[in-house]
Coordinates of all heavy atoms in Angstrom, one line a residue:
M167 N 80.5 126.5 57.9 CA 81.8 126.3 57.2 C 82.3 127.6 56.6 O 81.5 128.0 55.8 CB 81.8 125.1 56.2 CG 83.2 124.8 55.9 SD 83.4 123.7 54.5 CE 82.8 122.1 54.9
A168 N 83.5 128.0 56.9 CA 84.1 129.2 56.3 C 84.4 129.0 54.8 O 84.9 127.8 54.4 CB 85.2 129.7 57.0
A169 N 84.1 129.9 54.0 CA 84.5 129.9 52.6 C 86.0 130.0 52.4 O 86.7 130.8 53.2 CB 83.8 130.9 51.7
L170 N 86.7 129.3 51.5 CA 88.1 129.4 51.3 C 88.4 130.6 50.4 O 87.7 130.7 49.3 CB 88.4 128.0 50.4 CG 89.9 128.1 50.0 CD1 90.8 128.0 51.1 CD2 90.2 126.8 49.2
E171 N 89.2 131.3 50.9 CA 89.7 132.6 50.1 C 90.8 132.3 49.2 O 91.9 131.8 49.6 CB 90.0 133.7 51.0 CG 90.4 135.0 50.3 CD 91.0 136.1 51.1 OE1 91.0 135.8 52.4 OE2 91.3 137.1 50.7
I172 N 90.6 132.4 48.0 CA 91.6 132.1 47.0 C 92.4 133.5 46.7 O 91.8 134.5 46.3 CB 91.0 131.6 45.6 CG1 90.2 130.4 46.0 CG2 92.1 131.4 44.6 CD1 91.0 129.1 46.4
V173 N 93.7 133.5 46.8 CA 94.4 134.6 46.5 C 95.6 134.2 45.5 O 96.0 133.1 45.6 CB 95.2 135.2 47.8 CG1 94.0 135.7 48.8 CG2 95.9 134.2 48.5
P174 N 96.1 135.1 44.7 CA 97.2 134.8 43.9 C 98.4 134.3 44.7 O 98.7 134.8 45.9 CB 97.5 136.0 43.1 CG 96.1 136.8 43.3 CD 95.6 136.6 44.7
P175 N 99.3 133.5 44.1 CA 100.5 133.0 44.8 C 101.4 134.3 44.9 O 101.3 135.3 44.1 CB 101.1 132.0 43.8 CG 100.4 132.3 42.5 CD 99.2 132.9 42.8
P176 N 102.5 134.2 45.7 CA 103.4 135.3 45.8 C 104.0 135.5 44.4 O 104.5 134.7 43.7 CB 104.5 134.8 46.8 CG 103.8 133.8 47.5 CD 102.7 133.1 46.7
G177 N 104.0 136.8 44.1 CA 104.6 137.2 42.7 C 103.6 137.1 41.6 O 103.8 137.4 40.4
G178 N 102.3 136.6 41.9 CA 101.1 136.6 41.0 C 101.2 135.4 40.1 O 102.0 134.4 40.2
F179 N 100.3 135.3 39.2 CA 100.2 134.2 38.3 C 101.0 134.4 37.0 O 101.1 135.6 36.6 CB 98.7 134.1 37.8 CG 97.7 133.5 38.9 CD1 97.0 134.5 39.6 CD2 97.8 132.2 39.4 CE1 96.1 134.0 40.5 CE2 97.0 131.7 40.4 CZ 96.1 132.7 40.9
H180 N 101.6 133.4 36.5 CA 102.5 133.6 35.3 C 102.3 132.4 34.4 O 102.1 131.3 34.8 CB 104.0 133.6 35.7 CG 104.3 134.9 36.5 ND1 104.4 136.1 36.0 CD2 104.4 134.9 37.8 CE1 104.6 136.9 37.0 NE2 104.7 136.3 38.1
G181 N 102.3 132.7 33.1 CA 102.2 131.7 32.0 C 103.5 131.0 31.8 O 104.6 131.3 32.4
P182 N 103.4 129.9 31.0 CA 104.6 129.1 30.6 C 105.8 129.9 30.1 O 105.6 130.9 29.4 CB 104.1 128.1 29.8 CG 102.7 128.0 29.8 CD 102.3 129.5 30.2
V183 N 106.9 129.4 30.4 CA 108.1 130.0 29.8 C 108.9 128.8 29.1 O 109.0 127.8 29.7 CB 109.1 130.5 31.0 CG1 110.4 130.9 30.5 CG2 108.4 131.7 31.7
K184 N 109.2 129.1 27.8 CA 109.8 128.0 27.0 C 111.3 128.1 27.3 O 111.9 129.1 27.1 CB 109.5 128.1 25.7 CG 110.0 127.0 24.7 CD 109.6 127.2 23.3 CE 108.1 126.7 23.2 NZ 107.7 126.6 21.8
R185 N 112.0 126.9 27.6 CA 113.4 126.8 27.6 C 113.8 125.6 26.7 O 113.2 124.7 26.6 CB 113.9 126.5 29.1 CG 113.6 127.7 30.1 CD 114.5 127.3 31.2 NE 114.1 128.3 32.4 CZ 114.6 128.1 33.6 NH1 115.3 127.1 33.9 NH2 114.3 129.1 34.5
S186 N 115.0 125.7 26.2 CA 115.6 124.6 25.5 C 116.5 123.9 26.5 O 117.2 124.4 27.3 CB 116.5 125.1 24.3 OG 115.7 125.7 23.4
I187 N 116.5 122.5 26.2 CA 117.4 121.7 27.2 C 117.7 120.5 26.3 O 117.0 120.1 25.3 CB 116.5 121.1 28.4 CG1 117.3 120.5 29.4 CG2 115.3 120.3 28.0 CD1 116.7 120.4 30.8
T188 N 118.8 119.9 26.5 CA 119.4 118.8 25.8 C 119.1 117.5 26.5 O 119.6 117.3 27.8 CB 120.8 118.9 25.5 OG1 120.9 120.1 24.7 CG2 121.3 117.7 24.7
I189 N 118.4 116.5 26.0 CA 118.1 115.2 26.7 C 118.7 114.1 25.8 O 118.4 114.0 24.6 CB 116.6 115.0 26.8 CG1 116.0 116.1 27.6 CG2 116.3 113.6 27.4 CD1 114.5 116.1 27.7
A190 N 119.7 113.3 26.3 CA 120.3 112.3 25.6 C 120.9 112.8 24.2 O 120.8 112.1 23.2 CB 119.3 111.1 25.3
G191 N 121.5 114.0 24.3 CA 122.2 114.6 23.1 C 121.3 115.2 22.2 O 121.7 115.7 21.1
H192 N 119.9 115.3 22.4 CA 118.9 115.8 21.6 C 118.4 117.1 22.1 O 117.8 116.9 23.3 CB 117.9 114.9 21.1 CG 118.3 113.6 20.5 ND1 118.8 113.5 19.2 CD2 118.6 112.4 21.0 CE1 119.2 112.4 19.0 NE2 119.1 111.6 20.0
P193 N 118.5 118.2 21.5 CA 117.7 119.4 22.0 C 116.3 119.4 22.0 O 115.6 118.8 21.0 CB 118.4 120.6 21.1 CG 118.7 119.9 19.9 CD 119.0 118.5 20.2
T194 N 115.6 119.7 22.9 CA 114.1 119.9 23.0 C 113.7 121.1 23.8 O 114.5 121.7 24.5 CB 113.5 118.6 23.7 OG1 112.1 118.7 23.5 CG2 113.9 118.5 25.2
S195 N 112.5 121.5 23.4 CA 111.9 122.8 24.3 C 110.9 122.2 25.1 O 110.1 121.4 24.7 CB 111.4 123.7 23.2 OG 112.4 124.3 22.4
I196 N 110.9 122.9 26.3 CA 109.9 122.6 27.4 C 109.3 123.8 27.8 O 110.1 124.8 28.1 CB 110.5 121.8 28.6 CG1 111.2 120.5 28.1 CG2 109.4 121.4 29.5 CD1 112.1 119.9 29.1
S197 N 107.9 123.8 27.9 CA 107.3 125.1 28.4 C 106.7 124.7 29.8 O 105.8 123.9 30.0 CB 106.1 125.5 27.4 OG 106.7 126.0 26.2
L198 N 107.1 125.4 30.8 CA 106.6 125.3 32.2 C 106.4 126.7 32.8 O 107.2 127.6 32.5 CB 107.6 124.5 33.0 CG 107.9 123.0 32.7 CD1 109.1 122.5 33.5 CD2 106.6 122.2 32.9
E199 N 105.5 126.7 33.7 CA 105.4 128.0 34.5 C 106.6 128.3 35.4 O 107.2 127.2 35.8 CB 104.1 128.0 35.3 CG 102.7 127.9 34.4 CD 102.5 126.5 33.9 OE1 103.2 125.5 34.1 OE2 101.6 126.4 33.0
P200 N 107.0 129.5 35.6 CA 108.1 129.8 36.3 C 108.1 129.0 37.7 O 109.2 128.6 38.2 CB 108.0 131.3 36.6 CG 107.4 131.9 35.4 CD 106.4 130.7 35.0
I201 N 107.1 128.8 38.4 CA 106.9 128.1 39.6 C 107.5 126.6 39.6 O 108.1 126.1 40.4 CB 105.6 128.2 40.3 CG1 105.7 127.8 41.8 CG2 104.5 127.4 39.6 CD1 104.5 128.2 42.6
F202 N 107.1 126.1 38.3 CA 107.5 124.7 38.1 C 109.0 124.6 37.7 O 109.7 123.6 38.1 CB 106.7 124.0 37.0 CG 105.3 123.6 37.4 CD1 104.2 124.4 37.1 CD2 105.1 122.6 38.3 CE1 103.0 124.1 37.6 CE2 103.9 122.3 38.9 CZ 102.8 122.9 38.4
W203 N 109.5 125.5 36.9 CA 110.9 125.7 36.7 C 111.7 125.8 37.9 O 112.7 125.1 38.2 CB 111.3 126.8 35.7 CG 111.0 126.6 34.3 CD1 110.2 127.3 33.5 CD2 111.6 125.6 33.5 NE1 110.2 126.8 32.2 CE2 111.1 125.7 32.2 CE3 112.5 124.5 33.7 CZ2 111.4 125.0 31.1 CZ3 112.9 123.7 32.6 CH2 112.4 123.9 31.4
G204 N 111.2 126.6 38.9 CA 111.9 126.8 40.1 C 112.0 125.5 40.9 O 113.0 125.0 41.5
A205 N 110.8 124.8 41.0 CA 110.7 123.5 41.8 C 111.6 122.5 41.1 O 112.2 121.7 41.8 CB 109.2 123.1 41.8
L206 N 111.7 122.5 39.8 CA 112.5 121.5 39.1 C 113.9 121.7 39.3 O 114.7 120.8 39.6 CB 112.2 121.5 37.5 CG 112.9 120.4 36.7 CD1 112.3 119.1 37.1 CD2 112.5 120.7 35.2
E207 N 114.4 123.0 39.4 CA 115.9 123.3 39.7 C 116.1 123.0 41.0 O 117.2 122.4 41.4 CB 116.0 124.8 39.5 CG 116.0 125.1 38.0 CD 115.8 126.7 37.7 OE1 115.7 127.4 38.6 OE2 116.0 127.0 36.6
T208 N 115.1 123.2 42.1 CA 115.3 122.8 43.4 C 115.6 121.3 43.5 O 116.4 120.7 44.4 CB 114.2 123.3 44.3 OG1 114.2 124.7 44.2 CG2 114.4 122.9 45.8
A209 N 114.7 120.5 42.8 CA 114.7 119.0 42.8 C 116.0 118.6 42.2 O 116.6 117.6 42.8 CB 113.5 118.4 42.1
A210 N 116.5 119.3 41.2 CA 117.8 118.8 40.7 C 119.0 119.0 41.6 O 119.7 118.0 41.8 CB 118.0 119.6 39.3
V211 N 119.0 120.1 42.3 CA 120.0 120.4 43.3 C 119.9 119.4 44.4 O 120.9 118.8 44.9 CB 119.9 121.8 43.7 CG1 120.8 122.0 45.0 CG2 120.2 122.8 42.7
A212 N 118.7 119.1 44.9 CA 118.6 118.2 46.0 C 119.0 116.8 45.6 O 119.5 115.9 46.5 CB 117.1 118.1 46.5
A213 N 118.9 116.5 44.3 CA 119.2 115.0 43.8 C 120.7 115.0 43.4 O 121.1 113.9 43.1 CB 118.4 114.7 42.7
G214 N 121.3 116.2 43.5 CA 122.7 116.2 43.1 C 122.9 116.0 41.6 O 123.9 115.3 41.2
L215 N 122.0 116.3 40.8 CA 121.8 116.1 39.4 C 122.0 117.5 38.6 O 121.2 118.4 39.1 CB 120.8 115.4 38.9 CG 120.7 113.9 39.3 CD1 119.2 113.4 39.1 CD2 121.7 113.1 38.8
P216 N 122.4 117.6 37.5 CA 122.2 118.7 36.5 C 120.7 118.6 36.1 O 120.1 117.5 36.1 CB 123.1 118.4 35.2 CG 124.0 117.4 35.6 CD 123.3 116.7 36.8
L217 N 120.2 119.8 35.8 CA 118.7 119.9 35.4 C 118.5 118.9 34.4 O 117.5 118.3 34.2 CB 118.4 121.3 35.1 CG 117.0 121.7 34.7 CD1 116.1 121.4 35.9 CD2 116.8 123.0 34.2
S218 N 119.4 118.9 33.2 CA 119.1 118.1 32.1 C 119.1 116.5 32.5 O 118.3 115.9 31.8 CB 120.2 118.3 31.0 OG 121.4 118.1 31.7
A219 N 119.9 116.1 33.5 CA 119.9 114.7 33.8 C 118.5 114.4 34.5 O 118.0 113.3 34.3 CB 121.0 114.4 34.8
L220 N 118.0 115.3 35.4 CA 116.8 115.0 36.0 C 115.6 115.0 35.0 O 114.8 114.0 35.1 CB 116.5 116.1 37.1 CG 115.2 115.9 37.9 CD1 115.0 114.6 38.6 CD2 115.0 117.1 38.8
V221 N 115.7 115.9 34.0 CA 114.6 115.9 33.1 C 114.7 114.7 32.2 O 113.7 114.0 31.9 CB 114.6 117.1 32.2 CG1 113.7 117.1 30.9 CG2 114.3 118.5 33.0
A222 N 116.0 114.2 31.9 CA 116.0 112.9 31.2 C 115.5 111.7 31.9 O 114.9 110.9 31.4 CB 117.6 112.8 30.8
A223 N 115.8 111.7 33.3 CA 115.2 110.6 34.1 C 113.7 110.7 34.1 O 113.0 109.6 34.0 CB 115.8 110.7 35.4
I224 N 113.1 111.8 34.2 CA 111.6 112.0 34.1 C 111.1 111.5 32.8 O 110.2 110.8 32.6 CB 111.3 113.4 34.6 CG1 111.6 113.7 36.0 CG2 109.7 113.5 34.3 CD1 111.4 115.1 36.3
D225 N 111.9 111.9 31.8 CA 111.5 111.5 30.4 C 111.5 110.0 30.1 O 110.6 109.4 29.6 CB 112.4 112.3 29.5 CG 111.9 112.2 27.9 OD1 110.7 112.2 27.7 OD2 112.8 111.9 27.0
H226 N 112.5 109.4 30.8 CA 112.7 108.0 30.6 C 111.5 107.3 31.3 O 110.9 106.3 30.8 CB 114.0 107.6 31.3 CG 114.2 106.0 31.2 ND1 114.5 105.4 30.0 CD2 114.1 105.1 32.1 CE1 114.6 104.1 30.2 NE2 114.3 103.9 31.6
A227 N 111.2 107.8 32.5 CA 110.0 107.1 33.2 C 108.7 107.5 32.4 O 107.8 106.5 32.4 CB 109.8 107.7 34.6
R228 N 108.6 108.6 31.8 CA 107.4 109.0 31.1 C 107.2 108.1 29.9 O 106.0 107.4 29.7 CB 107.5 110.4 30.7 CG 106.5 110.9 29.7 CD 106.8 112.2 29.1 NE 107.8 112.2 28.0 CZ 107.6 112.0 26.8 NH1 106.3 111.8 26.3 NH2 108.5 111.9 25.9
I229 N 108.2 107.9 29.1 CA 108.1 107.0 27.9 C 107.8 105.6 28.1 O 107.3 104.9 27.3 CB 109.2 107.3 27.0 CG1 110.5 106.9 27.4 CG2 109.3 108.7 26.4 CD1 111.7 106.9 26.6
S230 N 108.0 105.0 29.4 CA 107.9 103.7 29.7 C 106.4 103.5 30.2 O 105.9 102.4 30.4 CB 108.7 103.2 30.7 OG 108.5 103.9 32.0
A231 N 105.6 104.6 30.3 CA 104.2 104.6 30.8 C 103.3 104.0 29.6 O 103.7 104.1 28.5 CB 103.7 105.9 31.2
E232 N 102.2 103.4 30.0 CA 101.3 102.8 29.0 C 100.8 103.8 28.1 O 100.7 103.6 26.8 CB 100.1 102.0 29.6 CG 99.2 101.3 28.7 CD 98.2 100.5 29.5 OE1 98.5 100.0 30.5 OE2 97.0 100.6 29.0
D233 N 100.4 105.0 28.6 CA 99.9 106.0 27.6 C 100.7 107.3 28.1 O 100.1 108.1 28.9 CB 98.4 106.3 27.9 CG 97.8 107.3 27.0 OD1 98.3 107.5 25.9 OD2 96.6 107.7 27.3
P234 N 101.8 107.5 27.5 CA 102.7 108.6 28.0 C 102.0 110.0 27.8 O 101.7 110.3 26.6 CB 104.0 108.4 27.3 CG 103.9 107.2 26.4 CD 102.5 106.8 26.6
P235 N 102.2 110.8 28.7 CA 101.8 112.3 28.5 C 102.9 113.0 27.8 O 104.0 112.4 27.7 CB 101.6 112.8 30.0 CG 102.5 111.9 30.8 CD 102.7 110.7 30.0
N236 N 102.7 114.2 27.6 CA 103.7 115.1 27.0 C 104.8 115.3 28.2 O 104.5 115.2 29.3 CB 103.3 116.2 26.3 CG 102.7 117.3 27.3 OD1 103.3 117.6 28.3 ND2 101.6 117.9 26.9
L237 N 105.9 115.7 27.7 CA 107.1 115.9 28.8 C 106.7 116.9 29.8 O 106.9 116.8 31.0 CB 108.3 116.2 28.1 CG 109.6 116.3 29.0 CD1 109.8 115.1 29.8 CD2 110.8 116.6 28.0
A238 N 106.2 118.1 29.4 CA 105.8 119.1 30.4 C 104.8 118.6 31.3 O 104.9 118.9 32.6 CB 105.4 120.3 29.7
S239 N 103.8 117.8 31.0 CA 102.9 117.4 31.9 C 103.6 116.3 32.8 O 103.2 116.2 34.0 CB 101.7 116.6 31.1 OG 100.9 117.5 30.4
A240 N 104.4 115.5 32.3 CA 105.1 114.6 33.1 C 105.8 115.2 34.2 O 105.9 114.8 35.4 CB 106.0 113.6 32.2
I241 N 106.5 116.3 33.9 CA 107.3 117.0 34.8 C 106.5 117.6 35.9 O 106.8 117.4 37.1 CB 108.2 118.1 34.1 CG1 109.3 117.5 33.3 CG2 108.8 119.1 35.2 CD1 110.0 118.5 32.3
R242 N 105.5 118.2 35.5 CA 104.5 118.8 36.4 C 103.9 117.8 37.5 O 103.9 117.9 38.7 CB 103.3 119.5 35.8 CG 103.7 120.9 35.2 CD 102.5 121.5 34.5 NE 102.8 122.6 33.8 CZ 102.8 122.5 32.4 NH1 102.4 121.3 31.8 NH2 103.0 123.5 31.6
T243 N 103.4 116.7 36.9 CA 103.0 115.5 37.7 C 104.1 115.0 38.6 O 103.7 114.7 39.8 CB 102.5 114.4 36.7 OG1 101.5 115.0 35.9 CG2 101.8 113.2 37.6
W244 N 105.3 114.7 38.1 CA 106.4 114.2 39.0 C 106.6 115.2 40.2 O 106.8 114.8 41.2 CB 107.6 114.0 38.1 CG 108.8 113.4 38.9 CD1 109.0 112.1 39.2 CD2 109.8 114.1 39.6 NE1 110.1 112.0 40.0 CE2 110.6 113.2 40.2 CE3 110.2 115.5 39.6 CZ2 111.8 113.5 40.9 CZ3 111.3 115.8 40.3 CH2 112.1 115.0 41.0
L245 N 106.7 116.6 39.8 CA 106.9 117.5 40.9 C 105.8 117.5 41.9 O 106.1 117.5 43.1 CB 107.1 118.9 40.3 CG 108.4 119.2 39.5 CD1 108.3 120.5 38.7 CD2 109.6 119.2 40.5
M246 N 104.6 117.4 41.6 CA 103.5 117.5 42.5 C 103.7 116.2 43.4 O 103.4 116.2 44.5 CB 102.2 117.4 41.8 CG 101.9 118.8 41.2 SD 102.0 120.2 42.4 CE 100.6 119.8 43.3
A247 N 103.9 115.0 42.8 CA 104.0 113.7 43.5 C 105.2 113.9 44.5 O 105.0 113.4 45.7 CB 104.3 112.5 42.5
Q248 N 106.2 114.6 44.2 CA 107.4 114.8 45.1 C 107.0 115.5 46.4 O 107.5 115.3 47.4 CB 108.5 115.4 44.4 CG 109.1 114.6 43.2 CD 109.4 113.2 43.7 OE1 110.3 112.9 44.6 NE2 108.8 112.2 43.0
Q249 N 106.1 116.5 46.2 CA 105.6 117.3 47.3 C 104.8 116.4 48.3 O 104.7 116.8 49.5 CB 104.7 118.4 46.7 CG 105.5 119.6 46.2 CD 104.5 120.8 46.0 OE1 103.4 120.6 45.7 NE2 105.0 122.0 46.3
H250 N 104.1 115.4 47.8 CA 103.3 114.6 48.6 C 103.9 113.4 49.2 O 103.2 112.4 49.7 CB 102.1 114.3 47.9 CG 101.2 115.5 47.5 ND1 100.6 116.3 48.4 CD2 101.1 116.1 46.2 CE1 100.0 117.4 47.9 NE2 100.3 117.3 46.5
R251 N 105.3 113.3 49.1 CA 106.0 112.2 49.6 C 106.4 112.4 51.1 O 106.6 113.4 51.5 CB 107.3 111.9 48.9 CG 107.1 111.3 47.5 CD 108.3 111.0 46.9 NE 108.0 109.9 45.8 CZ 108.9 109.2 45.4 NH1 110.1 109.5 45.5 NH2 108.7 108.2 44.5

């Protein structure tokens, strides 16, 4: 069996970038890696929603979970689940 070669993604690896966003009238900061910000923006456009509305919807689903993760984790998880649909 051939070994899997791991290479950096296009543009390299990047740490989280913090952005402020308003959810239900309340400002909050979210730290996500640029690749996740890009995927989130693409998902918002595909859904025909402003970015803040999509994040609010993800947040609403997150807080209804039995053991809610933090918002950034919920966003990453939601985005990965969307890729596998």
Side-chain angles (χ1 to χ4, degrees):
M167 185 193 298
L170 176 64
E171 180 183 0
I172 304 296
V173 297
F179 293 104
H180 297 281
V183 173
K184 186 179 282 192
R185 289 193 192 176
S186 293
I187 194 163
T188 301
I189 302 173
H192 301 284
T194 188
S195 293
I196 304 169
S197 294
L198 295 172
E199 293 75 9
I201 197 166
F202 286 107
W203 280 118
L206 188 61
E207 289 164 353
T208 299
V211 168
L215 295 171
L217 184 65
S218 59
L220 178 57
V221 171
I224 295 168
D225 189 44
H226 179 74
R228 171 190 77 89
I229 60 176
S230 66
E232 186 174 318
D233 186 20
N236 68 47
L237 181 54
S239 293
I241 291 169
R242 289 184 193 100
T243 302
W244 183 84
L245 287 167
M246 291 301 295
Q248 297 309 300
Q249 277 193 324
H250 298 291
R251 284 185 155 192

